[in-house]
Structure formats: C-alpha cells, structure tokens
Amino acid sequence: MKSEDDSLSGLSSDGDSADSMAVAFPELLPDSPLMRSQSAFERDLPELLTTHFKQWVAYADGQRLRVGKTQTELLRYCFVERKLSPKRCVITRIVPSSSSEIDDIFIESN
Amino acid sequence: MIPVLRAMPYFSIPTSIVGPGVHERASGFQIIVWVSITPIDQLVCESGTPRFPAILDSGFSDTVLISPVQLRSWAKLDWRSLPLRGISRRFEGIEVPVRCVNLWIHPNQYGWRDLFDPVQSAFRIQLNDGIIVMGNQEQVGPDPQTARLSAKRLPLLGLRALTEADAQLRIDAALRQVWLDLPPE
C-alpha cells in the first residue's frame, strides 16, 4: 500500500506478516490488480499532469482505461458499461499526488 | 454553482439531532450536515438511502472519518465491503487505508438543519480518492495498530472533501448560518 513515505505498510520481510496480510488484505499485495493499477497511475502521473490536469483517469489491472472530465463519467464507464469490479479499479483525479502532500492527519476533538 | 446548504443554522448550545435511526447530540458551535455513503458503483442516491449526521470540521484535514460501527449502523455498510483505493493516510503515525465510496450531501430546507429540501435530491461529492474508516478497536488495515485508533462520536467531514469537490463554503458567524455551493458536473 502506497503511503506518504512510499513505504509498504505491513509488508515486511517477515513471512508471517506478509502471509497474514495476504489473507486479510489481498488487494494490497504488490502484484494485485489494484496495486498494479496504482503503480501504473503513479508512473503515468507526471505526464498526465501536463496533458490532463484536474481531469479524471481510470485504471484496471494495471492498464489505463480512460481519461474523462468527470468522475461520474468514469464510474459509469467502469462499473456500468464494462461491469468491472471496484476492487480491481483505480479511479482518481489527476492532481499532484495527495499522498505526498500530507503528514499526519489532524483531527479536532468533538 | 448549485446551492446545497442554504442558511443552515448552527447553534451556540447543545442540540439534539433526530432522524430515522439517529438520536445524537451536537455540541454548541458544531456544524452538522446530513450525508449518505453508498458503494462506489452505486451512482444514484435513492430516496430510501439512509442519511446520518456528520460534523463539518474545517480543522479535519482529510475527507471523511467514520467509525466501523457508525458505518454499519447508519450507512448499512461493512467497511470490509468497501474497495480499497491502494493508498493510505497516517493517523498518529499509523497507516490507515483509504476506501472508495460515494459520498452524498443532503440539501437542507432553507433555514433549517434537520429538515431537507423536498425537491432536490442529494448531491454527490466527488472525492479524489476516498474516505477513512477506523475506530471501535477494529483492525481496518494491514497494521494491527489500526485497532487502537479511535474515531469520533460523530463522523467528520473535513475540508479536504470540500476542496476536492471545488465547493464554496460560507459561514456567517454573525447569523450562525452556513452556506454551501457545489459546482455542476
């Protein structure tokens, strides 16, 4: 799972940790369809920022499917037209990576 | 821009928040908005979709924070059913996975907080990535320490969500009213 410092959360060299994560969170294993899509997005992001800034992009199974002007357009394309599983897709906005912008999230008390 | 919240009041004293399945209390000076959360592949907020209160908290620097129990009780969703986004946020140094949902805000009846516009349906907030579900001693991510993170008494709607939606928020503190506009898609 990509985080602020780009580390792999819970994916240590410890075999037990990796095994338990594979059972509980298989989508986050590096070669999963989801993480291949996320990696592809991160790879493409510098180019997309210059060509489609603030638009939306969809990936599935590590492949870029479509760029669109709204999120709704891509949600409809992926889940209605293509009937893809949400667990395999990354649909996100083309903006500088949010994961690199923030440190700890701050929560006001309520 | 489309008006979503119009002259929605907040109060200087504690108030009861009452709705279907909801009996909560807002502290003074808390801005309460009514939201719904649906699966990411559900593109319409149908009339029977459960809605529940959240605190509009400009000091919260993420999109939405909701506990597993709140999600189950109010949105009728289990966090395990929400697809992961493949990125995480860090709370108290602990990485928590972001999960994909559709987030809706219910337009209020002009001048009221807990009454809804009878004509307009809910508006979807376009989140770049997703929301955070944590709390209730449940391990919600690969890091076992996620089980020790606590959520809040009510879900939080943070400034990141409004920013990602290109929303316009106006708080008239003199009149204790909140106005929120969203851009058309």
Side-chain angles (χ1 to χ4, degrees):
Chain A
M1 179 167 48
K2 302 287 184 176
S3 67
E4 289 89 342
D5 57 5
D6 217 26
S7 64
L8 291 174
S9 160
L11 266 185
S12 66
S13 57
D14 181 333
D16 288 345
S17 297
D19 288 348
S20 61
M21 187 172 110
V23 172
F25 300 94
E27 308 99 305
L28 297 179
L29 291 172
D31 200 37
S32 69
L34 176 71
M35 295 313 293
R36 282 189 284 121
S37 293
Q38 174 63 18
S39 296
F41 168 63
E42 292 177 4
R43 180 198 64 214
D44 295 348
L45 182 59
E47 176 202 340
L48 289 169
L49 285 170
T50 63
T51 56
H52 297 87
F53 181 61
K54 288 193 101 173
Q55 294 189 35
W56 295 79
V57 64
Y59 289 81
D61 301 337
Q63 300 293 316
R64 193 197 305 178
L65 299 180
R66 182 173 282 196
V67 174
K69 290 196 173 160
T70 69
Q71 185 188 42
T72 302
E73 172 188 340
L74 296 186
L75 293 176
R76 190 165 287 126
Y77 175 73
C78 289
F79 303 139
V80 179
E81 290 181 33
R82 299 280 303 267
K83 300 192 186 314
L84 297 171
S85 164
K87 295 193 173 182
R88 307 176 76 87
C89 298
V90 165
I91 299 173
T92 190
R93 203 170 194 191
I94 301 167
V95 292
S97 173
S98 60
S99 59
S100 64
E101 290 173 2
I102 54 173
D103 295 319
D104 275 279
I105 299 295
F106 184 71
I107 310 172
E108 286 289 319
S109 62
N110 65 100
Chain B
M1 298 294 276
I2 301 169
V4 178
L5 301 179
R6 299 170 302 144
M8 191 192 73
Y10 65 91
F11 304 95
S12 58
I13 57 173
T15 52
S16 294
I17 312 168
V18 180
V22 175
H23 289 84
E24 291 294 331
R25 198 159 177 80
S27 300
F29 300 101
Q30 285 185 331
I31 297 171
I32 301 296
V33 296
W34 286 81
V35 301
S36 292
I37 291 176
T38 61
I40 189 68
D41 54 354
Q42 183 180 322
L43 303 184
V44 177
C45 188
E46 292 161 353
S47 58
T49 303
R51 55 189 164 206
F52 52 91
I55 296 172
L56 198 167
D57 184 350
S58 65
F60 174 50
S61 56
D62 208 325
T63 55
V64 168
L65 172 61
I66 186 169
S67 77
V69 167
Q70 290 161 347
L71 191 68
R72 279 193 289 270
S73 301
W74 288 341
K76 310 300 180 192
L77 294 171
D78 189 295
W79 59 266
R80 295 171 190 83
S81 71
L82 304 179
L84 292 158
R85 170 58 185 81
I87 60 172
S88 63
R89 304 267 197 258
R90 202 160 45 210
F91 291 80
E92 300 175 27
I94 300 167
E95 289 179 19
V96 181
V98 172
R99 292 180 179 274
C100 304
V101 299
N102 279 320
L103 170 70
W104 310 82
I105 293 190
H106 292 272
N108 71 318
Q109 191 166 314
Y110 187 99
W112 293 82
R113 186 187 69 184
D114 301 335
L115 295 179
F116 306 102
D117 187 312
V119 177
Q120 293 202 80
S121 53
F123 288 91
R124 195 165 65 85
I125 295 269
Q126 295 195 58
L127 301 175
N128 291 3
D129 296 314
I131 68 166
I132 293 292
V133 184
M134 68 181 200
N136 307 128
Q137 288 83 52
E138 294 190 36
Q139 181 183 338
V140 295
D143 187 341
Q145 293 209 84
T146 55
R148 73 173 181 79
L149 292 168
S150 57
K152 296 296 174 182
R153 192 171 49 80
L154 289 172
L156 302 181
L157 174 64
L159 194 56
R160 175 181 284 257
L162 301 184
T163 302
E164 292 180 357
D166 295 329
Q168 290 182 353
L169 173 68
R170 184 163 68 89
I171 300 173
D172 185 334
L175 295 177
R176 295 178 193 154
Q177 289 178 341
V178 177
W179 305 72
L180 178 70
D181 294 345
L182 290 174
E185 272 201 40

